[in-house]
Structure formats: C-alpha cells, structure tokens
Amino acid sequence: MHKLRTVFLMALLGVVSLATQAQTTLRLNNSHLQVEWKASPQGWQIQRVAVLKGEKWNNDFTPSGEYTLIYSEEKPSGEAARGFEKSTGGKFPEDNYHLQQEQWKESTTAVALNTAGKAYHFFPSSGKQLGKNHIRFVSETDVATLTTDWKLDEKYPTDVLVTQTLTPKKKGYFSAASPSVATLPDQKMGWASVPGYFQGNYLQDNFAKAYAYGFGVPKLPVIYRERTASTLAPLLSTQSEVTMTVIPEPGLARDPWEKNKITQTKWQVGLSHRNRKGQLSPTLYYPVLGEYESGREAGQELSYNYRYSLVDGDWFKTLKHAIYDIYKFKEGLELRQSKQSLTSRIEQMHHYLTDPQTSLWNIEEFEGLKIGAQSYLGAVVGSQKDAMKNSDYGAMWMLAHTTQDPDLTQNVIPYALNFKLTQQQTEPGFFQGAAIGQYYLAKRKKFVEEWGEIVEPMAVTYYIMLDVGNMLLFEPENKELKERLRLGAENLLRWQKPDGSWAVAYDHKSLNELFQDVADYRPTFYGLLVAYRMLKDPKYLEAAKKGADWFVKNGVNRGSFLGVCGDARYAPDFATGQSAQALLDLYDITKNETYKDAAIKAAKIYTSSVYTHPIPDREIKNVNGIQREDWEIAQAGLSFEHGGIFGSANRTGPIQLASHAGLFIRMYELTGETLFADMARAAAIGRDAFVDHKTSVASYYWNAMNRGAGPFPHHAWWQIGWITDYLLSEAELRSKGKVSFPRGFITPKVGPHQTYGFAPGTVNGEKARLVISEDWVKINNPSVDYILAEAVDSNKRFVILLNNRAQPTEFNITMAQRSPVKKQLPAWGMEVVNFE
C-alpha cells in the first residue's frame, strides 16, 4: 500500500510539474521551424529560434520577442527632422536637385527616421497556448492593449502567421511594430535588403550614401514607404544563409489606384531592416504614425495580419516565396491578355516615327552640317523648349535596314548620323573623344548635359561607344565611324583610374572631378568591350576586364549600383539591369565564369526593381473616365526608372519601357530560374491600357496611363528596340536555339536591350534575314506575335509565331493573299511556318 501511495504521489507531482512547465513555456514547432517562449519577470520572451538547414538546426539568430508600440498625442510633423551631409562634406542633396529636395524632406521626417512619438518597449504580460500551433499573447501599456495571435502556417512550414489587434485606451496616434522575433548582430549579417530601396552585405557609415543610394546597409532604423518597395518583404540573411523576413498580408499596403483616382503616395505600411532600438531585425510598422488608420479614439479597435518567414536559404529564395506564394505573381501573369500585338505596335510606331509632325522630328544647321533629332520637352538645364535628342541608334538602323523605307533611309538616318558626329569632341584636349552632351539646344546651338555643365565617362560609353558601335554593325566599312569609335575608346583609356574605375563626372570648365561622394558603380567598362569587338585591339579588352573586375568586386558583389540619370542625382536605376547584360557579353568573349556569376547576381538584384504588389485582379476601376479591370493597370510586373528614396517611381510609379524583358528571358534560358521569364512576360504582355491607340506609343510613366509619348517622342525608338529584343529572345528560348539572330550592343541609358538585324541569323538551320513588313501576313488574334524573316539562299519566307499568353490560343493566319489557315498554339508556345 505504501509503495502504491508513493507511486501515486510521484505521478501527481509529475502532472503538477508538467502543468507548471506549460505555464512557463510556450512553443510553435514543426519539421522546419522551432520558436519557444518562456515566462520571465519582464514578460514572455523568446528563448529559442531555430531553422532546420540540411539535417541540423540553425540558431544563428538571437531570440528576442520584444514588442514596440509608438504613440503620439498629436499628429507628427511633416517637416524634415534633421539634415545630413555628403561624405565629402556639404549639404545633401544640393539645392539644384529640386525633386530630390522634396523627397528627401519626406524621407527625413521624424516618422521616417523612426524617432517620432513615444516608444513603449515590452514583452507580453500573459500568454496562452490555444492549440498545438496557436498561441495568444496579451500586452498592456498605458495607452493601449495589444493582443497577438501566432499560428504556424499549415501550407508553408517556413511561416508563422500573426494577427495583431490594437485597442487604444486613449485618443491619439498609434503605430505598432511587428515583434522582434529575433535579432542579428551587425557583424554577423550576411545580406540585408528592403527590396526597391537597398540591398547589401556591408554597413555604411554615411547616411546619405546608405539611404539615398543603397551603398551599404543604413545604420539608422529608418522606416521605408511601400510606394517604391518592389516586394513587401524586408529581408535579413545570416552569413550561413538563413533568411528572415516579415510580409504584410496582401491588401494591407496601399493600392496605387483606388477605384477612381491615383493613390500612389499613400502611406499605409512601413518597412524596415531594423527595429526601433536599431537592432537588425526585419520589421513591419502598421499603422504608420500619423498616416492612414493611425489616428484613433479610445476603444477604436484595429486588427491586421502579417507573417514571418524563416527560410533555410538565401535572400533570393526568400524573395521568391513572398512573390509567388504570398503575392501570387504567377496568377497575376495568367490574367494578362493583349488587345494589340507587340508586332503591331512596332509596325504602327514605324509610321509614327516617319511622320515629322507626330514624332517631332527636327533638322537644324550646326557646324556646316544638317543634324536631325526629335524634340525633347522634359527638363534640361538651359532648355527653352528647344532641346533635341535621339535615343536608340541600334533600333533606328535596324528599322531602316529591315523595312528599307526611304522615309527612314533618306530622311532620318543621314541627319541622325550627323547629329552623332557633331555630338563628339574631336579636337585635342581633355575631352577629346567624349560626348559633349546628350541634348542639342537649337536656339543656343550647343550640346549640353541633362543637369549641368558636366561630362561623364559613362556618357562616352553610351553616346559614343554604344551608338557608334551599333551603327558600325550595319556599316562595318565606315572608316569615319571607326575613327570616332577609336577616339572614344582612347578617351576611356585615358580616364580609367589605376584601380580600373572611372570618375562619375568632370566639370566641363574646370576639369575637376565631380560627385566624389559616390562611386561609378556602373558598366562604364562596356564601352571598351564594344571597341574590342569592332576594332580588334586587345588593349581595349584588357582595360574592359580591369574595369569589370573593379565593378564586380566593389559594386555587384556588395549590392551597390549607381544610376545614369543626372536629373535624379544618379539614383540607382535601370543601369543595374544593364550591368547584367554587359557582364554576360564580357563572359561570352572571355569565358571567365566570374563575369557570368556576377551577371546572374546583378540580374537577381534587378528583380528587386520590379513591382510585385498589389496582387492584380478583375476589380473594375475608373481610370480617367475609362472602365478598366485592375490587372490592366497593375504595377505588378513593371520596373522602375529609378526607385528608392530619390527615384521617379515615388510619384509617377513604374515605367512601361521594359528594356530588361529580353535579358530576363536570356537569364531564364541560362539559369532555369522561372522568375526571370515570368517578370519579362508580366512587363511585356497586356499593357494596352498604357498605349496611345493613335500612335501605338506607350506612355513612359505609369501615372500617365494611355497619354502616349508626351514630352518623350524619342522613346518610340527604345520601345521598338526592347520589343524586338524580347520577341527574338522568346523565339530563341522556345525553339531551343533553332531560331536565333545575332545580338549587337546594349542601347544607351534605359536598360539592357540589344540591337538586331545587322547580320543574318538561322531559322531551322537555314540562314535568314530579319524583315519588318505589314504585307506578308495577317493574324486575327492579338495574343499571337510574329517575327518575319527571309532565307538568304532561296525565296523562302518564314513566319515565327509566338503565343504570348498563359492559355492556349486559336487564331487564323493569312499569308501572301492566300486563304486563312486556322491554327492553335499552346500556352507560351511557338511555331515556324514558311511559304514562297
């Protein structure tokens, strides 16, 4: 009996012990993730965060579980809280950067710098396990009660779902931060990013470099707006490549076009790589103090959802989880349907560009030559609405060559060539070989740069090396163009620094180096690669490799890129995507794997310049008096001109100029990474809501909707260029190389698309030349694009058909006045038909 009593008492004590343990320890565990809370005098604290990596549990993150609630009785000020200086000293940004001044002010308020209001830091006072995978914590402060429900996601084992409910105890403005599940010491960081704003693997001491340019990770716990956050997922990776992010539930962030008006700048969600205390920990702020839903009465409850993801992989794997699994990028792509084929747009823009009235084509006398260019009605220092500019010389020569249209060959090409020749300084001196300006001012009869009296080495690469190089592909025996290319190459050699880099710019008068607070993290080296390909001098290849080596080491591998738009003070932009193609082209010549790896890395980073939110749907919206379905005007799939703090995307949204589409198709072919193909197609297909139906020219900025070229008529050439690059890249991919045409050089400035049509390619083993003609074929379904070619050695004509949508497509094709033939292509399918 005594023995039985002893056993009973021991069992009873065990039950009591288990009950006590249940009250002091709470857990969320699955096959991938372990999170454990323990009760302490300070409240419920996370004691363990572990992620299964391979066969071992990784616990590199430091557990925390601390909550932060920010409160203010009054709405915070919208004025800048403090100023910052350049790393070289002096005000940042300078007074002549008017748009950047305004955006910098918005980005340095106390709210943005995360110093506004009173911060309450605490651990929950009570916790309860409501089920195996469900825990509820309640926290009390002087100003509000915060109830937080944590659940493991049954579909995605990497994720913890959180529902947070804020109940104010008094009137005021509130902002709740997502709890810091874990933190990471700065010295243990492997990679950090708020996509669209910055990415990198090093800390930056100078705030302006980090905040405005993304040159390193900011040390301050700044709060970023969703308006240029490409993917709503601040990311933090350890050096062992375990990544943590926090992702708001779809619909929590702003919709850039709510029903009947633009709401691009509305601020609903704040994102940061650090918590309020400055510790590295991906953090979501909702509401944002003083913004939407922040002002509340006592008892006015607010509930919202988000999730944490802890992934056994790098930042890119984690980014794809947010893009595909949470923000349904693939489903958004499946909605896209074209109302006008891309091929038709090229044909119609051909007419637009050969009409001087619609294309704003001008011919002026300069230095004894007649020079031709299109009016440029955007901002140029010194312009009196008389600025002129040409854009894509490769597309110009391609269209003239493939159409043999005398309106181009006689009325455009000769004068555009003269414009290019007079744009370069040939006289001896410091600037010999350089482009003396992008723009020609007709009234002042001088070439100027966009934003001051400066000359950039990058402009030599763009407006001499690339333009002249692309013309030489069509005119390989043109001795004058070869000499001009040589002059440009020698300029780049003279200006290259001993470490392989270049200055950002030089003052045109004093010759002093400018913008020494930033570095030339751009593919300036590419101009020398062009020189090597066309002039065959090995010294140019050696200098190109030296420049690329510096750029890869200091720029690409660290996540740092400089932009090419002077009016935006070189905020990072589409030159990041251009860098990937430049490095791929260098790899093609050298077969050095370092350049291929760097190209892939740059392309992956450039996916962070593509919007992936909100999720497109079929909601009807009124867009400037036109009824549109939401997917028709969706930002998801479109890229920035420039994003971040300074970029145009803050106000105008993304752009329609999808120069990266062809590159991303090539990257998909190279890597098998489907995100590249999906992003290329989302940018290219079904964007008719932004196309002017009279001219087939797309608007540049998203907020312009279908207003057409506007002040940028020269953009039509770039549009022809990127569409051609995209279609031919798709044809090569889908045919597994059986349809292939030689690629030329990258276009200047706007991205990585390349030139075609200067040499025959192959179609199913036969040599063939590209042709653009409206007479060969008629197709009755705009989802089907086509490419035309003619055999070099026979009378055979080829029609390369591309079904550019995610569903099978039936259509009729009529060739050479014959009877229509009914056909069907599978989703993203292709077929080559031929006739004589």
Side-chain angles (χ1 to χ4, degrees):
M1 180 66 73
H2 176 73
K3 188 174 181 179
L4 285 172
R5 186 182 294 113
T6 301
V7 171
F8 175 76
L9 288 172
M10 289 179 66
L12 183 61
L13 286 170
V15 171
V16 171
S17 175
L18 285 171
T20 302
Q21 183 180 10
Q23 293 171 357
T24 59
T25 304
L26 298 171
R27 296 184 180 90
L28 290 177
N29 295 336
N30 61 21
S31 60
H32 176 85
L33 183 63
Q34 296 178 350
V35 184
E36 182 178 292
W37 287 260
K38 285 187 179 293
S40 73
Q42 291 78 38
W44 285 92
Q45 296 178 274
I46 296 178
Q47 296 295 311
R48 176 174 170 79
V49 175
V51 177
L52 188 65
K53 188 171 178 63
E55 297 181 355
K56 295 182 179 179
W57 289 98
N58 180 289
N59 55 5
D60 284 353
F61 284 105
T62 303
S64 173
E66 187 171 44
Y67 287 60
T68 298
L69 178 66
I70 306 170
Y71 172 77
S72 175
E73 290 186 359
E74 304 294 332
K75 185 173 182 177
S77 170
E79 295 299 312
R82 55 170 293 191
F84 295 90
E85 290 196 345
K86 297 179 287 187
S87 59
T88 52
K91 179 183 177 182
F92 183 88
E94 299 89 342
D95 290 337
N96 58 319
Y97 292 97
H98 312 300
L99 291 175
Q100 285 66 44
Q101 285 275 354
E102 180 62 25
Q103 287 172 195
W104 188 250
K105 184 187 82 169
E106 291 181 351
S107 302
T108 52
T109 64
V111 172
L113 295 178
N114 209 354
T115 58
K118 179 181 178 180
Y120 294 82
H121 302 290
F122 52 89
F123 297 94
S125 53
S126 67
K128 185 178 182 180
Q129 192 101 29
L130 299 181
K132 181 181 178 182
N133 294 325
H134 184 185
I135 298 173
R136 175 173 293 166
F137 294 104
V138 178
S139 309
E140 300 288 349
T141 70
D142 294 342
V143 295
T145 300
L146 206 60
T147 304
T148 312
D149 284 80
W150 302 66
K151 296 180 181 179
L152 289 174
D153 190 330
E154 294 181 0
K155 187 174 183 180
Y156 303 111
T158 58
D159 290 13
V160 179
L161 307 176
V162 177
T163 297
Q164 197 149 288
T165 302
L166 172 71
T167 307
K169 295 179 180 178
K170 58 192 296 189
K171 180 181 179 180
Y173 292 87
F174 297 83
S175 179
S178 57
S180 297
V181 169
T183 63
L184 190 67
D186 285 359
Q187 66 272 19
K188 291 187 177 182
M189 177 191 72
W191 193 264
S193 176
V194 175
Y197 283 97
F198 77 87
Q199 64 282 316
N201 58 8
Y202 68 104
L203 298 173
Q204 176 57 257
D205 291 326
N206 181 261
F207 182 71
K209 281 186 178 181
Y211 200 36
Y213 293 96
F215 290 179
V217 177
K219 290 187 174 181
L220 296 182
V222 290
I223 303 177
Y224 295 95
R225 297 169 183 260
E226 71 262 57
R227 66 190 185 190
T228 53
S230 56
T231 296
L232 301 172
L235 301 155
L236 179 62
S237 297
T238 67
Q239 291 168 4
S240 60
E241 291 196 338
V242 172
T243 304
M244 177 167 61
T245 185
V246 57
I247 307 169
E249 181 181 52
L252 196 63
R254 68 95 178 90
D255 181 335
W257 193 283
E258 287 183 7
K259 292 293 184 182
N260 302 327
K261 63 179 181 179
I262 187 170
T263 45
Q264 167 70 5
T265 60
K266 193 175 181 181
W267 195 4
Q268 294 184 196
V269 169
L271 307 166
S272 188
H273 59 301
R274 295 183 184 272
N275 60 26
R276 173 84 170 207
K277 289 185 174 180
Q279 300 166 306
L280 282 173
S281 185
T283 305
L284 173 73
Y285 291 86
Y286 188 83
V288 177
L289 197 68
E291 301 293 332
Y292 175 79
E293 295 280 29
S294 175
R296 313 198 74 74
E297 301 288 336
Q300 188 183 3
E301 191 175 275
L302 178 66
S303 186
Y304 48 94
N305 302 307
Y306 53 90
R307 69 177 60 221
Y308 298 94
S309 292
L310 289 105
V311 177
D312 58 332
D314 66 0
W315 65 271
F316 190 66
K317 180 179 179 180
T318 308
L319 186 75
K320 288 191 296 178
H321 170 53
I323 292 171
Y324 279 124
D325 298 331
I326 312 307
Y327 278 84
K328 307 299 180 187
F329 195 78
K330 182 78 77 173
E331 289 84 341
L333 173 60
E334 290 172 356
L335 291 174
R336 308 221 133 267
Q337 309 290 324
S338 293
K339 296 179 180 177
Q340 180 185 13
S341 71
L342 294 172
T343 306
S344 171
R345 283 190 55 202
I346 291 176
E347 294 168 351
Q348 296 308 307
M349 283 190 284
H350 172 200
H351 298 305
Y352 166 81
L353 287 163
T354 52
D355 183 338
Q357 291 188 324
T358 57
S359 65
L360 304 184
W361 177 253
N362 307 284
I363 296 177
E364 297 283 343
E365 292 275 352
F366 181 69
E367 294 184 349
L369 290 175
K370 288 185 176 181
I371 64 173
Q374 291 169 273
S375 294
Y376 180 88
L377 303 177
V380 176
V381 170
S383 172
Q384 303 172 41
K385 301 296 182 184
D386 62 334
M388 297 162 49
K389 178 177 179 174
N390 291 318
S391 57
D392 193 333
Y393 272 75
M396 280 183 166
W397 262 244
M398 183 274 292
L399 191 65
H401 194 75
T402 55
T403 63
Q404 292 297 306
D405 182 353
D407 283 337
L408 289 172
T409 58
Q410 297 174 20
N411 300 335
V412 173
I413 296 299
Y415 306 109
L417 173 59
N418 287 344
F419 185 94
K420 184 57 56 181
L421 295 176
T422 56
Q423 194 176 20
Q424 184 184 33
Q425 179 173 319
T426 56
E427 297 81 10
F430 185 75
F431 294 112
Q432 185 181 39
I436 54 179
Q438 288 183 62
Y439 304 89
Y440 178 73
L441 302 183
K443 293 179 181 178
R444 295 169 59 187
K445 293 190 177 297
K446 67 179 295 187
F447 282 90
V448 298
E449 259 308 329
E450 197 164 28
W451 218 245
E453 298 285 335
I454 64 173
V455 178
E456 302 172 50
M458 189 69 200
V460 180
T461 287
Y462 277 169
Y463 307 113
I464 303 302
M465 308 307 293
L466 302 190
D467 282 341
V468 173
N470 275 324
M471 287 188 285
L472 271 171
L473 292 172
F474 293 89
E475 303 178 36
E477 304 305 317
N478 190 316
K479 292 182 180 179
E480 183 170 19
L481 285 178
K482 283 186 176 180
E483 175 58 19
R484 294 307 189 92
L485 192 72
R486 187 193 66 78
L487 280 176
E490 292 299 318
N491 172 284
L492 288 175
L493 285 181
R494 289 196 311 273
W495 284 357
Q496 190 174 33
K497 297 182 179 183
D499 64 359
S501 68
W502 282 270
V504 173
Y506 295 101
D507 185 271
H508 199 272
K509 294 179 181 177
S510 70
L511 312 187
N512 291 331
E513 185 176 337
L514 301 174
F515 302 102
Q516 294 188 59
D517 58 308
V518 292
D520 189 46
Y521 299 136
R522 305 184 287 194
T524 309
F525 70 87
Y526 189 72
L528 290 165
L529 184 65
V530 174
Y532 171 71
R533 278 185 56 181
M534 301 310 298
L535 303 177
K536 309 303 182 186
D537 192 327
K539 71 180 180 182
Y540 297 138
L541 179 59
E542 291 307 308
K545 292 192 294 184
K546 186 177 181 181
D549 291 343
W550 178 88
F551 175 52
V552 170
K553 178 182 177 182
N554 296 280
V556 177
N557 286 346
R558 302 199 305 162
S560 296
F561 297 88
L562 191 71
V564 294
C565 295
D567 57 343
R569 206 185 187 276
Y570 308 111
D573 57 22
F574 27 46
T576 301
Q578 205 170 51
S579 301
Q581 188 62 64
L583 289 163
L584 265 189
D585 285 1
L586 185 57
Y587 165 73
D588 286 342
I589 288 176
T590 65
K591 300 307 177 185
N592 185 331
E593 292 288 326
T594 298
Y595 302 135
K596 183 176 78 171
D597 293 344
I600 294 169
K601 187 168 189 174
K604 286 181 175 180
I605 289 172
Y606 195 62
T607 64
S608 291
S609 291
V610 177
Y611 279 105
T612 61
H613 69 97
I615 300 173
D617 59 30
R618 294 190 177 277
E619 180 187 353
I620 300 298
K621 295 183 174 181
N622 186 315
V623 182
N624 301 329
I626 301 172
Q627 296 293 305
R628 305 275 193 198
E629 291 190 8
D630 174 76
W631 66 265
E632 296 183 81
I633 63 166
Q635 292 188 347
L638 296 176
S639 61
F640 302 144
E641 178 185 39
H642 17 68
I645 295 299
F646 270 3
S648 60
N650 282 276
R651 293 287 190 275
T652 63
I655 58 175
Q656 310 304 316
L657 215 166
S659 178
H660 64 286
L663 165 69
F664 272 19
I665 292 297
R666 292 188 284 278
M667 277 291 170
Y668 169 61
E669 188 173 18
L670 178 67
T671 66
E673 178 51 66
T674 56
L675 183 60
F676 289 128
D678 288 343
M679 282 188 163
R681 292 163 178 170
I685 303 304
R687 294 293 176 180
D688 305 270
F690 302 96
V691 177
D692 175 19
H693 73 276
K694 295 179 182 178
T695 64
S696 293
V697 181
S699 300
Y700 185 44
Y701 296 115
W702 173 87
N703 70 335
M705 293 297 164
N706 63 343
R707 290 206 294 266
F712 312 118
H714 62 288
H715 280 212
W717 287 114
W718 273 322
Q719 291 177 33
I720 287 174
W722 82 253
I723 292 171
T724 301
D725 188 26
Y726 167 68
L727 293 177
L728 285 167
S729 297
E730 285 277 23
E732 183 165 349
L733 169 72
R734 299 183 203 179
S735 69
K736 295 181 171 56
K738 292 181 180 179
V739 175
S740 179
F741 287 85
R743 286 182 284 111
F745 304 118
I746 297 169
T747 191
K749 197 167 187 175
V750 298
H753 73 259
Q754 296 182 289
T755 297
Y756 294 81
F758 54 89
T762 57
V763 179
N764 291 341
E766 293 191 55
K767 279 191 174 183
R769 302 184 191 91
L770 282 176
V771 174
I772 294 177
S773 172
E774 295 177 54
D775 300 327
W776 282 23
V777 64
K778 302 295 180 186
I779 291 175
N780 69 343
N781 191 317
S783 292
V784 178
D785 284 294
Y786 58 88
I787 301 161
L788 305 178
E790 59 184 4
V792 171
D793 300 320
S794 69
N795 294 325
K796 192 179 293 185
R797 292 178 173 183
F798 301 98
V799 182
I800 299 135
L801 301 166
L802 299 168
N803 178 24
N804 279 330
R805 67 173 190 159
Q807 298 82 28
T809 299
E810 292 185 352
F811 60 99
N812 291 332
I813 177 172
T814 305
M815 296 179 291
Q817 311 300 320
R818 302 175 187 179
S819 299
V821 176
K822 189 172 184 178
K823 285 188 169 292
Q824 182 174 2
L825 287 174
W828 307 112
M830 76 158 289
E831 181 183 346
V832 177
V833 298
N834 58 72
F835 64 97
E836 294 186 5

